[in-house]
Amino acid sequence: MHSQTLRPYNSALLLLGLLVYSLLLGACEGAHTRHSLRALPLQPEEKLYKFSGPGSFDVPSSPKNMVVHRFDVSIGQAGLYSFETFGKLDTLCALVYREKQEERYLLVKDIGGKDENCKLIWFLPAGTHSFKVRTDGDASFRVKVERLSWDKEVGLTLHSGGSSAGLIEGIRDRHRFRFHLSAPRMVQLQATGNGNLQCVLQHGSGKWLQTHHFRQSYGSCIIGRQLDPGEYIFDIRSDQPKSQYKLSFQQIRLRPLQANHIQEGYLNEETFDLYEVNLPKDRYHRIQSHGSLPIHCNLEDELGHSVASPKSADKTCLLEGQFPAGRYFLRVHADVPTRQGRYQVSLEELPFAQLSTNTTRVVRPLFHEALQIYQLQVKQANLYRIQVNKRGANCLLTNKEGQPPPLMNLSEAGRCNFFADLDTGTYFFKVYPLERDERPYELKISPYAPPQGDVLQDRSPRLVGPVEKGYKRVFTIDVSAPQTVVLETHGQLDTVCELFLASMPIDGQTAIEKNDDGGSVLKFNCQISRFLMPGQYKFRVRVQGHKGGRFWVQRRDIEVPRLEIGKPLSAIFKDKRRPHRYLISVKTTSVLALRTEGNIDTQCDLLNNDNETVAKDDDSGAGDNCMFSKVIQPGYYSLQVTARRDVGPYRLFADILPATSLAIGQILDGNFPPPYRTNYYALKLAKGGQFTMRTYGSQDTLCDLYNSQGKRLARNDDRPQNDKNCQITEVLSSDTYYLQIRLHTNVKPDGSMPFRVGLASP
């Protein structure tokens, strides 16, 4: 159960926007009285009035059509009270619990009164209570606070560890339970039912102890506190007639959870553990569970009122951030009701350093420090850029509650680089150095001003919005040299990316490339990654889906190493999650051969400029190395080399294999030299017809026939006579074709391995 908490400066504005207004009622016996107006304007959207109840209060008309009126009502005696509006306006009433600068909305109703007036009924203690009324219109109206009598009281007895059930007939009925404690205990009383329930705890003498100070989940109320030995009363009522409920009463084992200590517990489907947590100020707090048991946890400032719960889908307890100093309760229970077992939970109180919004700092972390935490106080809402330079690190930016703000993470190769849209408030920036040494790093934060105009530049992101569904934005992409360009969106909006030539109108051409739901971080973002030749292009982003908002647009130019034909290069895999990419330029139609050498398992993928796989291989080379050859057209190609298991060094080779001319009626001698042990023959046919090509000899061979575009037309193994030679007979038109002859995969190469190949036409 969560409260609805507002900061003072925007509480009324949010009330208007959400149509949620709060109202807290105080009651006092005696004759109804009329009160003179004392209006204290808090801000343009809200007015404050004070009076004593029971009684009525006349509110004059307002020049604004929508106004929030707050009434602080002083009640002298506990009891059941109603708060009601009278007039011609459409009103919405709410009951509010106020403490210091916090507001929690306990009950909200827009019906119950006459016509379009609202009415609340609540069991209130003596004291001052706050109500809020939202009005639609500028007419005057009246509010009335009245004490009500109970229609019926049902007396019951409650025993620890037991449960009870009942039916509350009317909204002015209450069921009263009595129980006895022989020793000091932490207790929890929880009722669930089909109505909007209210629970009140009193001492046996009638002294009011507690009602819930936060809005309960519908059909539920919960109260928990430490009680001394003695007699107690627990009342349940509902603001709806015919409300059924079930009530449970538990004495809770409460243990302290101290900083830098681990507590161990045991859970089953019927129990939960409760820990008392005292959090100091000026610390970053982290509470987490350990072990294999899936558990769930909540941090509560009063029993039943959760102020923090895990945000991830993991079956572990992890709560972190900076919480206001004070006493809290940590509730731990099994995530799956049928699971039980041991678990451990710990509390860390981590120090942090202050960081301003426009600073450059050189940090030399201690060798034993795995993490540095910085508190960032943002006094002016703005776009900011946060960087960690001169050393590899993983970084995380969150607000006080441990949640990331709207940001664009452009970190690459362990270099942290964030662009964040930060509102005023407190944030935390965590730096995890990747290497265990004491080398310094540079931490830099500064306001970020995106470039103006429609030209999208490398690593200069734009924040677009707020926009609505259907919004389109076109950016210009200038490319000065052949390179791979990544165009992408980030954020919470569903977007579509399209890339066009700039030489003609967008609406008159088909997109060079289009992407939907291919985002690198969130699937519903879009991303285009393409090798582009020098020139000018247009990049269009369109917002789809069911919501509007803001999103980031980013261009990244990737410097891909060139792999030259006949010039092998050496490289080292340090992280198997990061494939190595190379750019290959082929001038004419050729047979391109690629392979790796080394003691690691590699996979090679050759992609064309449309990101389509042209060829791929895993383990065809020596050991676990990749190796393949392919007939390809002129152009630029991207080679991706991936480490499948272990990391380490390797060498990469790119070669052009010869394609020996094979004429009709000709038989040529050949062999299978290492390392590729593959032969290509060019068949230049002046006219079409039926042609047969085959091998001769004792070698177990495979035949593949390709056209000039590199598309395979036919394959054969072991001829029609089922010997080891291969043979292909095809009807071909006049063109150039390529015949590939290679050894069967079951053959272990040995020596030169001679064979003969011929081409015939009937």
Side-chain angles (χ1 to χ4, degrees):
M1 288 170 284
H2 300 270
S3 67
Q4 301 174 7
T5 303
L6 299 181
R7 290 173 285 185
Y9 70 84
N10 70 347
S11 61
L13 181 61
L14 188 54
L15 284 171
L16 284 168
L18 299 177
L19 298 183
V20 175
Y21 305 102
S22 50
L23 189 62
L24 184 56
L25 201 62
C28 176
E29 287 189 302
H32 292 174
T33 58
R34 296 291 295 273
H35 300 272
S36 62
L37 179 65
R38 288 190 294 149
L40 303 177
L42 299 181
Q43 51 185 304
E45 298 85 8
E46 183 172 290
K47 292 184 178 181
L48 172 63
Y49 311 94
K50 295 181 179 180
F51 68 98
S52 298
S56 60
F57 189 94
D58 291 324
V59 180
S61 61
S62 171
K64 295 186 178 181
N65 289 332
M66 295 183 67
V67 178
V68 177
H69 305 271
R70 190 181 104 198
F71 302 90
D72 286 353
V73 183
S74 178
I75 300 296
Q77 185 175 348
L80 186 66
Y81 287 85
S82 67
F83 178 92
E84 186 175 2
T85 65
F86 298 87
K88 298 180 180 180
L89 296 177
D90 184 3
T91 58
L92 180 74
C93 300
L95 172 63
V96 179
Y97 171 73
R98 300 175 59 85
E99 184 177 19
K100 297 179 181 178
Q101 295 182 340
E102 185 179 20
E103 291 185 347
R104 297 177 183 172
Y105 301 93
L106 306 182
L107 183 63
V108 178
K109 297 194 73 173
D110 64 349
I111 59 174
K114 184 179 179 181
D115 297 328
E116 294 184 330
N117 286 276
C118 55
K119 181 178 181 179
L120 303 177
I121 296 178
W122 203 249
F123 190 11
L124 297 172
T128 299
H129 306 280
S130 293
F131 302 86
K132 288 190 178 181
V133 176
R134 190 265 296 156
T135 58
D136 292 341
D138 58 0
S140 61
F141 68 99
R142 174 181 295 180
V143 297
K144 182 179 180 181
V145 176
E146 182 179 10
R147 182 169 185 184
L148 309 176
S149 61
W150 296 101
D151 287 345
K152 183 170 63 174
E153 178 181 303
V154 179
L156 301 162
T157 301
L158 190 61
H159 299 285
S160 175
S163 61
S164 183
L167 173 66
I168 302 175
E169 295 284 349
I171 61 176
R172 295 170 67 169
D173 297 349
R174 65 177 169 182
H175 286 195
R176 170 161 285 189
F177 293 86
R178 296 182 180 270
F179 63 92
H180 173 78
L181 292 178
S182 58
R185 287 288 187 270
M186 172 70 74
V187 302
Q188 177 179 287
L189 300 107
Q190 182 170 9
T192 57
N194 61 355
N196 196 21
L197 303 177
Q198 183 188 5
C199 298
V200 175
L201 179 64
Q202 301 177 71
H203 195 270
S205 63
K207 179 182 178 181
W208 186 288
L209 294 179
Q210 185 177 345
T211 188
H212 38 81
H213 295 151
F214 53 94
R215 191 174 184 180
Q216 307 283 303
S217 297
Y218 184 81
S220 173
C221 64
I222 181 172
I223 287 179
R225 67 177 293 162
Q226 180 77 28
L227 295 178
D228 293 327
E231 301 291 330
Y232 294 91
I233 298 171
F234 183 72
D235 288 338
I236 302 177
R237 61 165 297 272
S238 174
D239 68 352
Q240 291 181 339
K242 304 294 183 181
S243 292
Q244 293 181 329
Y245 69 89
K246 291 183 179 180
L247 173 64
S248 65
F249 174 32
Q250 295 175 279
Q251 297 186 34
I252 304 170
R253 182 175 61 192
L254 181 66
R255 293 183 289 170
L257 181 60
Q258 299 177 343
N260 304 319
H261 287 75
I262 294 179
Q263 281 278 19
E264 185 170 327
Y266 188 90
L267 292 173
N268 58 42
E269 65 274 12
E270 298 177 353
T271 63
F272 64 87
D273 282 346
L274 201 68
Y275 295 91
E276 182 180 17
V277 184
N278 289 290
L279 299 180
K281 63 178 182 179
D282 298 332
R283 285 293 185 269
Y284 186 88
H285 311 117
R286 178 187 291 154
I287 299 172
Q288 59 184 332
S289 62
H290 313 272
S292 59
L293 181 68
I295 66 173
H296 188 76
C297 64
N298 290 86
L299 189 65
E300 304 171 0
D301 59 354
E302 61 179 280
L303 286 187
H305 182 236
S306 175
V307 295
S309 58
K311 303 300 181 183
S312 70
D314 298 337
K315 305 296 184 180
T316 58
C317 170
L318 178 60
L319 305 173
E320 60 179 332
Q322 187 184 38
F323 302 101
R327 180 182 186 233
Y328 295 86
F329 300 101
L330 178 69
R331 187 187 300 267
V332 179
H333 59 88
D335 187 76
V336 181
T338 57
R339 296 289 297 272
Q340 62 182 14
R342 296 169 56 248
Y343 73 93
Q344 293 176 324
V345 64
S346 65
L347 165 65
E348 292 180 272
E349 296 172 355
L350 305 173
F352 52 80
Q354 297 289 339
L355 192 65
S356 64
T357 55
N358 195 354
T359 185
T360 299
R361 179 181 299 182
V362 176
V363 180
R364 186 183 296 274
L366 298 176
F367 177 81
H368 298 288
E369 282 189 352
L371 164 67
Q372 294 86 52
I373 304 179
Y374 302 92
Q375 186 189 64
L376 179 63
Q377 295 286 353
V378 178
K379 298 180 180 179
Q380 182 178 359
N382 205 343
L383 296 179
Y384 292 92
R385 184 176 186 179
I386 306 175
Q387 300 170 274
V388 173
N389 302 317
K390 301 181 180 180
R391 188 170 174 185
N394 284 327
C395 303
L396 183 64
L397 179 66
T398 64
N399 58 19
K400 289 179 62 175
E401 290 75 34
Q403 299 305 302
L407 58 82
M408 190 171 208
N409 186 355
L410 299 183
S411 302
E412 296 181 86
R415 296 296 189 267
C416 300
N417 186 16
F418 290 173
F419 294 82
D421 181 20
L422 302 183
D423 198 357
T424 55
T426 302
Y427 299 86
F428 286 91
F429 186 62
K430 292 183 279 188
V431 180
Y432 301 84
L434 296 180
E435 298 175 351
R436 299 183 179 184
D437 57 44
E438 296 174 313
R439 289 184 297 113
Y441 60 81
E442 181 187 71
L443 176 58
K444 184 177 182 180
I445 177 170
S446 58
Y448 175 66
Q452 301 299 312
D454 292 328
V455 178
L456 199 57
Q457 300 172 349
D458 177 37
R459 289 170 174 79
S460 297
R462 306 287 189 89
L463 183 61
V464 181
V467 299
E468 300 296 330
K469 175 186 176 182
Y471 172 84
K472 297 178 182 179
R473 177 74 181 271
V474 178
F475 297 93
T476 299
I477 309 298
D478 290 324
V479 179
S480 58
Q483 59 188 341
T484 298
V485 178
V486 178
L487 304 168
E488 58 191 348
T489 63
H490 290 246
Q492 299 297 323
L493 297 189
D494 188 357
T495 52
V496 178
C497 295
E498 297 172 289
L499 184 65
F500 301 88
L501 295 173
S503 57
M504 62 182 72
I506 287 179
D507 295 335
Q509 62 174 307
T510 302
I512 300 173
E513 188 167 340
K514 179 178 179 179
N515 179 265
D516 182 17
D517 295 342
S520 59
V521 178
L522 297 174
K523 183 180 178 182
F524 48 76
N525 295 152
C526 56
Q527 182 189 76
I528 291 176
S529 179
R530 188 178 180 89
F531 181 82
L532 297 178
M533 295 296 292
Q536 191 174 79
Y537 303 83
K538 294 293 184 180
F539 175 56
R540 183 168 69 184
V541 181
R542 176 169 52 87
V543 176
Q544 59 182 12
H546 302 289
K547 65 178 182 179
R550 295 193 290 181
F551 65 95
W552 290 90
V553 179
Q554 164 68 6
R555 168 184 175 177
R556 289 185 291 127
D557 296 344
I558 300 177
E559 295 184 5
V560 180
R562 294 286 187 111
L563 178 59
E564 303 291 344
I565 303 298
K567 296 181 180 180
L569 56 81
S570 299
I572 300 176
F573 272 110
K574 296 183 179 180
D575 185 350
K576 67 179 182 180
R577 297 171 300 176
R578 296 181 178 273
H580 291 183
R581 292 178 172 85
Y582 303 92
L583 184 64
I584 302 173
S585 175
V586 178
K587 306 287 185 189
T588 61
T589 301
S590 306
V591 178
L592 177 65
L594 297 161
R595 63 187 178 92
T596 63
E597 285 184 0
N599 296 320
I600 62 175
D601 186 357
T602 58
Q603 175 179 311
C604 294
D605 294 83
L606 186 66
L607 308 175
N608 63 17
N609 201 30
D610 292 321
N611 284 324
E612 299 171 336
T613 300
V614 176
K616 65 185 302 180
D617 180 75
D618 181 18
D619 298 343
S620 291
D624 293 326
N625 285 274
C626 60
M627 181 176 70
F628 65 85
S629 59
K630 177 70 175 176
V631 177
I632 60 175
Q633 293 295 296
Y636 288 92
Y637 294 84
S638 175
L639 174 65
Q640 177 175 292
V641 182
T642 306
R644 297 294 300 269
R645 292 193 293 268
D646 297 332
V647 297
Y650 69 96
R651 298 192 76 200
L652 179 60
F653 299 80
D655 300 293
I656 297 296
L657 299 185
T660 305
S661 179
L662 180 61
I664 299 174
Q666 188 177 22
I667 297 178
L668 300 177
D669 293 322
N671 54 35
F672 295 97
Y676 298 103
R677 296 190 181 275
T678 301
N679 293 273
Y680 284 84
Y681 297 89
L683 316 181
K684 300 178 181 180
L685 305 181
K687 61 180 182 178
Q690 179 173 291
F691 299 89
T692 298
M693 53 219 76
R694 58 160 296 184
T695 60
Y696 305 85
S698 60
Q699 307 298 340
D700 193 352
T701 56
L702 291 172
C703 294
D704 289 276
L705 181 65
Y706 297 90
N707 63 14
S708 59
Q709 305 299 315
K711 180 181 178 181
R712 187 171 65 192
L713 304 178
R715 166 175 285 183
N716 179 259
D717 177 22
D718 295 343
R719 290 203 321 138
Q721 289 76 13
N722 201 28
D723 60 16
K724 291 184 177 182
N725 289 286
C726 57
Q727 176 179 307
I728 293 176
T729 299
E730 285 288 315
V731 176
L732 304 174
S733 59
S734 60
D735 201 348
T736 298
Y737 299 86
Y738 293 87
L739 176 64
Q740 180 197 70
I741 308 294
R742 56 191 174 93
L743 290 171
H744 196 281
T745 55
N746 294 329
V747 176
K748 183 177 180 180
D750 182 19
S752 61
M753 307 187 72
F755 73 100
R756 305 183 77 193
V757 60
L759 174 65
S761 177

